[in-house]
Structures are given as C-alpha cells and as structure tokens.
Amino acid sequence: MKRVETGEKLKTLARLLREHQPAFALTGAGVSTESGIPDFRSRGEGLWERYDPAEVCSVEALHRDPARFWRFNLRWWRGCREAQPNAAHRALAALERAGLLRGVITQNIDGLHRAAGSTVWEVHGHLRTCRCMRCDRRHDFACLLEQIDDGADVPRCPCGGMLRPDVVLFGDAMGEDYWRATQVLTGCQVLLVVGSSLQVYPVAGLPRLARRLAIVNREPTPYDEEAAVVIHRAAGETLRSLLAELEMEDAGP
C-alpha cells in the first residue's frame, strides 16, 4: 500500500515539474547524508541534538575559544570537503539539464551540488575559501588546513589576523547568496524541498515565495500541510524514482 501511495505522489511531483515553471530546489542536510555527511536535526541522530550550536559553531564560540572552535568543526568540515555527490545531487543536476529546474538553493556548505553540475545558491556559504578577520583577505581553505595539519591551533593570515571560514556561523548575518535566492524565487511556480527540516530561519521562510511546494524529507516539516505533495523517504531513492517517472536516464548509483 505504501509503495502504491508513493508511486502516486511521484506522478504528482512529475506533473508539477512538467506543467509549472519556473521551478527551483531548496535542499538541506538530508540531501547529503548518503554522501556520509551527518545531518543536524534528525531525532536522536542530528549533530545539534548532541551539541549546542551556539557553543561550538557560532561567531561567539570562534572569538571565545578559537582553538576549540577549529578542533570541533574541522572534524566534520574535512568530511564535507572529501565527500562525493550522491544520487540525489546528480538527479537534481539532471533535472536542471532537462529544463525542469532552474537551479538549487542549498543550506549545505559541502559544495556537492556544485560538484554535481547544478546552478547553485549557497545561502550558508561554502568551504572553498576562508578570510582574515583583520585585513579581510581571502585564502583557499586548503591553506587553512595545512596550518592546522602542521600543528597550529588557530589558522592565521600572513598579516597575523585570525582566519575564519566563509560559512554563515550562528550569529552571522546572511550572505549575498541568500539575498540572490530571494530574488530568483520571484515568480517561482514550484519549489522542490529536499532533505530540509525547514526549521532554520531565515531560509525556512523561502517556501513562502513559491506558488507551489513539494517536499521530499524523511521526517515531517512545518510546511507539510501546505505542500502539494509530500514524500517521507530518503532523497536519493526518491529522486531516482522521480527520474524514472519522468522517463529520464538514471543519475547513477
């Protein structure tokens, strides 16, 4: 019965993308778990279920104890940089190539949508670069990692200033990509949300800018009752099934 129900929902989702354009995707941590990257808010498993983000991943935490900040966050940021796109990332890129998506707005900092070939707005930043908190000069993130690997507790710019990642930490203002995303969603007919709990603002307010909403997420979200279709399944298997429903080539394993 569940398989039949999901099949009908996939037909609805396929019809939405075929008949209503422009469409965009909005993704969260759940789209990258199949690449080995932990999510944040799943019950009993999410990273912020075990740690207070204000204590370990905030601007205040960076200033209060920079060595602890880097020691904690590099444990999973390294994993983000080493991960590879999974079937969900590749499927979203395939939908864009087919003209059924204009691009992906993502809360993730892992760069996997970009690696898969999507047009992407990284509203929480990325791990490709870092910048100096004194002179504002930007550096490749790999330079930061080299310093840490060579024994530095805190990575620094040649000017002596402390480096920080080009990601939106708790307590930061939103970056330029967030404001660009609010602009590109003007006139959006379908927003396909994949792997996001839709609990973190201001990004959780973006669905309000779309005329229709479709949600693919393992757990319920605050928007489920407003969505045209909701599928509570893993991102990879669901999006691969969507490609099959659209009679498109599989995005790979």
Side-chain angles (χ1 to χ4, degrees):
M1 186 69 177
K2 185 176 181 181
R3 183 176 298 174
V4 173
E5 179 184 328
T6 301
E8 290 304 312
K9 289 181 176 181
L10 285 168
K11 291 180 187 298
T12 300
L13 178 52
R15 186 170 64 252
L16 285 171
L17 293 176
R18 284 194 186 106
E19 297 179 359
H20 303 285
Q21 290 292 327
F24 293 84
L26 170 63
T27 68
V31 82
S32 291
T33 54
E34 293 168 55
S35 293
I37 299 173
D39 72 357
F40 299 95
R41 299 180 187 275
S42 291
R43 288 191 295 270
E45 298 178 1
L47 199 61
W48 302 148
E49 289 276 306
R50 293 173 284 146
Y51 302 97
D52 180 353
E55 291 296 317
V56 295
C57 198
S58 65
V59 178
E60 182 182 348
L62 175 59
H63 284 285
R64 183 176 58 247
D65 191 342
R68 179 174 183 257
F69 172 91
W70 285 110
R71 193 164 56 247
F72 177 88
N73 288 293
L74 277 183
R75 286 186 295 174
W76 69 278
W77 285 349
R78 285 183 190 272
C80 288
R81 286 175 54 86
E82 294 167 0
Q84 296 298 315
N86 62 50
H89 300 105
R90 292 191 292 270
L92 291 171
L95 290 170
E96 182 177 344
R97 289 194 298 271
L100 297 175
L101 286 179
R102 295 289 180 88
V104 178
I105 299 161
T106 188
Q107 297 168 273
N108 300 337
I109 62 174
D110 52 44
L112 296 182
H113 286 299
R114 180 181 168 120
S118 289
T119 300
V120 61
W121 294 268
E122 296 166 309
V123 297
H124 286 162
H126 55 77
L127 293 170
R128 293 185 295 280
T129 57
C130 55
R131 69 180 184 272
C132 177
M133 297 176 70
R134 178 185 293 174
C135 72
D136 209 37
R137 179 182 173 189
R138 274 188 163 76
H139 303 268
D140 192 291
F141 200 85
C143 298
L144 180 157
L145 292 176
E146 288 175 7
Q147 290 189 39
I148 297 292
D149 290 340
D150 286 343
D153 289 330
V154 178
R156 294 193 177 276
C157 176
C159 79
M162 185 165 62
L163 295 177
R164 60 151 294 162
D166 277 329
V167 302
V168 177
L169 302 173
F170 288 85
D172 270 333
M174 295 301 290
E176 196 171 306
D177 265 18
Y178 170 76
W179 301 108
R180 288 175 177 164
T182 63
Q183 293 172 350
V184 301
L185 285 177
T186 301
C188 173
Q189 295 298 303
V190 179
L191 183 63
L192 171 59
V193 177
V194 183
S196 176
S197 63
L198 295 177
Q199 295 182 42
V200 180
Y201 282 85
V203 176
L206 292 179
R208 300 288 181 200
L209 301 178
R211 185 166 183 181
R212 299 169 185 85
L213 189 60
I215 298 174
V216 176
N217 196 54
R218 283 184 178 273
E219 298 180 357
T221 81
Y223 283 89
D224 282 10
E225 292 187 4
E226 303 174 38
V229 60
V230 177
I231 301 175
H232 289 151
R233 289 173 63 193
E237 63 174 320
T238 304
L239 294 184
R240 289 181 69 179
S241 297
L242 175 63
L243 294 187
E245 182 63 38
L246 289 163
E247 299 182 344
M248 292 172 56
E249 185 176 345
D250 196 305

